[in-house]
Amino acid sequence: MRRPDNIAFGVDDRLPARLGLGLALQQLAFLGALMVIPDIYVRAQGLERGALVNITSATLLVAALVIWLQVGRFRRVGAGYYYPLQATGAVLPALYLVARQPDVGLDAVFGMLWVVGLSQVAFSFLIMRMRNIFTVEVSGVAVMLIGLGLGQLGLQQIFGYGAVQQAPSRSGLAAAGLTFAVMVGCNVWARSLLKLMAPLAGLAAGMAFSLAMGMVPRQLDVWSELHWFWVPQLPVFGWAFSPAAIVPYMVTGFVLALTSMGTQTIVQRSADADWVRPDLRALGRGVRAEGLAHLFASLVNGLPMAASGGAVSLAAASGCSSRYLGYWTAGLLLLVAMIPKLIGVWLLLPAPVMGALLLYLATFTTLSGLQLIASRMLDNRRVLAVGVGLMAGTSVAGIQASIDGLWPDLRYVALSGLAVGVCATVAMSAVFRIGMRRGTRQRFALDHATLAEVTGFLEGQGKLWGARHEPVRRAEMAGWQAVEALTAHHLVDSAHGEIEIETDFDEYVFTLILRYRGGLLPLPEIAPSAEELMNSREAELRMAGYLVARTAHRAQASSNGRGMCTLRLKFEN
């Protein structure tokens, strides 16, 4: 794993105490701002403020536990990277649906969260078996939808439409503009510590401006009523079984697993300069850790949470991918869970200031998703799958009411744009695999074969399978070098005069196989010297074979003893 240039602290780099605390406070400011979700749920259920503190404390305890599981590098649980969970509005529809069922109380709404946990644990064992479906472009769609969702939520916070009902004001727009400008300025022009703390500096500037403009008087009144220390009552509602909760919570678990895969892709890509595809084993361990955390949430009556694409984008934008940041953040979350005054601090942060942070993070996340999609060669099938997924994911919010009216059962599936977009891409990718062969072959007559024909055939196969550009280009170069060497040195039997080129792809390796009748192409490990090249035509052949072998990651030449030769070249995807 090679650390990217924009990352100051790699995955296994320990953080200095002052920097670790500062970055953890920055993470806490972001994660805690979305604790408005418990407040929304408590208000919708008509509960008292004491229930809000209990639910929020339980949710923070779950968030601390899952971070510890993720960064601890246990054998079968935990991704080994820093990525936290956060409260999300995507889970509210499922909670509301269950709460509206007859004879269902809040003890069942929270107690049945074990269904979410078990769904994630079960899904984590299927990821490796579905690697041909959950491809890089699917991860790219998930990451891009996460970024677009962050941007949309940021605009809602700034301009006050959608789920956020406050009216926009000039002072709010000014606070958002100042916050965003400070973040961008620190990230682009500042150096060292200030560059790492760009988001925190922006939040501090926006908060100071908001206090000066008198934008937080109501929140100050609420904050003053909270206690300094609180021992949460866990569980506050208890547990109950409800069959009505099984279907929506299973779907919620699947949605949260897909969100986790997209978020972990951001983490892996930002931590490794040589990243080419998601580590599915790490993805499975990460989803499994989230499932165990939701089993714990069921015990303490915490809210279900989603992997935070914004938090990992914040860490990457700050130049930190160290897993040790997780220990600092988990410790602060445990501390805050016992201090309602600190929980209330998040209520002081004005919505426009938080919206500016979300917009700032959305730019990095959205572009990461776009780069993931563009890193693969796409034919019409894959273009359609990606395009439909993106359109479905970005449009579902506008047609949610129509979906509920026409097909009520789909309300369990259309819980979020991310879920709809990724499910659409996965479904279309699976359908388009019908009739797609893993390996193809084509014969080329040496008298008429051209570079354009050979490269066109290989490029078409790369697009069909969604291979990366680099291994296909290497295969094109090595394939044509081999054809030229075999032709120039008359190694192909003139009675047949043709070469059969076969390709094979398994998501990890692009294999090029040349079959012909004649003599073997030598594949020396050491190039011939300049003197040998000047004096021997045999040395020219060995140099050609050396270049072919060096272009491929692995090369092997063999013969069956009856004149049929096979040159097998493998290129890591």
Side-chain angles (χ1 to χ4, degrees):
M1 181 183 294
R2 184 167 61 89
R3 190 173 66 192
D5 294 335
N6 64 320
I7 297 296
F9 294 91
V11 174
D12 293 316
D13 293 341
R14 294 181 179 272
L15 298 173
R18 183 177 64 174
L19 181 60
L21 180 60
L23 291 176
L25 287 172
Q26 187 170 262
Q27 289 286 316
L28 200 66
F30 175 78
L31 294 171
L34 293 179
M35 280 298 156
V36 68
I37 301 301
D39 188 40
I40 292 174
Y41 185 74
V42 166
R43 290 175 183 271
Q45 299 300 324
L47 302 176
E48 298 179 354
R49 188 161 298 277
L52 169 64
V53 176
N54 271 301
I55 293 174
T56 304
S57 296
T59 305
L60 291 173
L61 291 175
V62 176
L65 171 66
V66 73
I67 291 177
W68 176 70
L69 290 176
Q70 297 293 9
V71 302
R73 288 192 172 174
F74 301 100
R75 183 176 180 183
R76 298 185 182 277
V77 176
Y81 297 91
Y82 169 72
Y83 85 94
L85 301 188
Q86 69 179 39
T88 172
V91 303
L92 292 182
L95 298 180
Y96 291 152
L97 286 171
V98 174
R100 294 191 190 109
Q101 300 292 334
D103 302 325
V104 174
L106 290 177
D107 52 351
V109 170
F110 285 92
M112 288 293 288
L113 289 181
W114 60 266
V115 177
V116 175
L118 289 182
S119 298
Q120 288 184 286
V121 171
F123 183 78
S124 70
F125 289 102
L126 297 177
I127 291 177
M128 280 300 296
R129 298 178 181 273
M130 302 175 68
R131 70 181 189 184
N132 290 329
I133 299 297
F134 292 106
T135 56
V136 171
E137 58 266 26
V138 172
S139 298
V141 169
V143 172
M144 196 168 179
L145 288 175
I146 289 173
L148 293 173
L150 288 173
Q152 184 182 38
L153 182 58
L155 291 174
Q156 289 177 358
Q157 296 277 343
I158 294 172
F159 292 99
Y161 63 87
V164 183
Q165 298 299 324
Q166 84 279 4
S169 64
R170 292 184 178 180
S171 58
L173 294 178
L178 175 64
T179 303
F180 190 79
V182 171
M183 292 178 184
V184 172
C186 292
N187 183 273
V188 175
W189 291 291
R191 295 185 178 182
S192 65
L193 186 61
L194 187 58
K195 185 180 181 72
L196 295 174
M197 297 295 181
L200 190 60
L203 289 176
M207 188 65 187
F209 179 84
S210 301
L211 289 172
M213 298 298 293
M215 295 171 58
V216 290
R218 184 183 66 82
Q219 293 92 325
L220 283 172
D221 294 338
V222 174
W223 182 79
S224 63
E225 299 175 359
L226 297 174
H227 299 286
W228 275 106
F229 182 76
W230 175 276
V231 178
Q233 175 189 348
L234 304 176
V236 64
F237 300 108
W239 309 281
F241 179 83
S242 172
I246 294 178
V247 173
Y249 280 8
M250 285 183 63
V251 175
T252 299
F254 177 69
V255 171
L256 296 181
L258 294 179
T259 305
S260 176
M261 293 180 66
T263 301
Q264 288 191 67
T265 300
I266 300 174
V267 177
Q268 294 180 14
R269 191 176 189 279
S270 63
D272 187 2
D274 298 323
W275 185 93
V276 294
R277 73 178 63 83
D279 181 353
L280 296 183
R281 295 188 185 278
L283 260 62
R285 294 194 302 269
V287 174
R288 202 169 304 138
E290 291 186 33
L292 294 178
H294 282 120
L295 291 176
F296 178 67
S298 177
L299 294 177
V300 299
N301 288 173
L303 287 174
M305 293 180 289
S308 177
V312 299
S313 298
L314 174 61
S318 301
C320 177
S321 61
S322 172
R323 63 188 180 91
Y324 291 97
L325 175 59
Y327 294 112
W328 287 96
T329 306
L332 290 181
L333 289 172
L334 287 174
L335 177 65
V336 173
M338 306 295 178
I339 306 177
K341 283 285 189 184
L342 294 181
I343 295 175
V345 168
W346 289 317
L347 301 177
L348 300 178
L349 194 65
V353 175
M354 177 51 57
L357 174 61
L358 292 172
L359 280 179
Y360 174 79
L361 300 178
T363 57
F364 294 94
T365 307
T366 304
L367 186 60
S368 294
L370 184 61
Q371 289 174 334
L372 284 176
I373 297 172
S375 69
R376 294 296 172 126
M377 303 179 69
L378 305 177
D379 66 347
N380 289 339
R381 301 185 186 200
R382 294 178 182 270
V383 169
L384 284 169
V386 170
V388 170
L390 289 175
M391 287 189 291
T394 54
S395 304
V396 67
I399 60 173
Q400 186 73 53
S402 300
I403 292 175
D404 291 342
L406 293 175
W407 302 286
D409 291 340
L410 287 182
R411 61 186 176 178
Y412 295 120
V413 179
L415 296 179
S416 70
L418 173 64
V420 173
V422 174
C423 286
T425 303
V426 169
M428 295 197 68
S429 298
V431 171
F432 287 152
R433 290 189 64 83
I434 298 175
M436 183 187 299
R437 291 177 296 174
R438 176 175 167 179
T440 57
R441 63 183 65 182
Q442 184 171 328
R443 294 181 179 274
F444 294 89
L446 295 183
D447 294 339
H448 307 291
T450 64
L451 173 63
E453 291 177 343
V454 174
T455 57
F457 168 69
L458 296 177
E459 185 171 346
Q461 298 308 304
K463 290 180 178 180
L464 179 65
W465 294 320
R468 290 194 305 122
H469 294 272
E470 189 264 344
V472 176
R473 296 289 177 262
R474 292 169 69 96
E476 292 173 0
M477 182 185 304
W480 184 248
Q481 285 178 336
V483 170
E484 282 194 320
L486 294 173
T487 304
H489 294 273
H490 308 290
L491 292 181
V492 180
D493 190 345
S494 58
H496 295 84
E498 64 179 14
I499 294 180
E500 180 184 82
I501 298 181
E502 180 181 348
T503 57
D504 186 81
F505 184 70
D506 68 350
E507 192 63 32
Y508 289 90
V509 177
F510 187 98
T511 304
L512 175 63
I513 305 171
L514 284 75
R515 293 190 178 91
Y516 59 93
R517 290 193 176 276
L520 287 176
L521 177 68
L523 301 173
E525 296 182 359
I526 301 176
S529 64
E531 292 78 8
E532 291 176 318
L533 289 172
M534 292 292 292
N535 300 321
S536 171
R537 184 167 176 77
E538 179 66 23
E540 294 179 13
L541 178 61
R542 288 194 291 115
M543 174 58 79
Y546 171 78
L547 294 175
V548 169
R550 291 283 293 178
T551 304
H553 288 94
R554 292 185 296 276
Q556 180 184 8
S558 61
S559 174
N560 63 1
R562 297 189 298 273
M564 178 60 72
C565 300
T566 301
L567 176 61
R568 189 180 300 270
L569 306 175
K570 294 182 178 292
F571 305 86
E572 294 181 1
N573 190 42

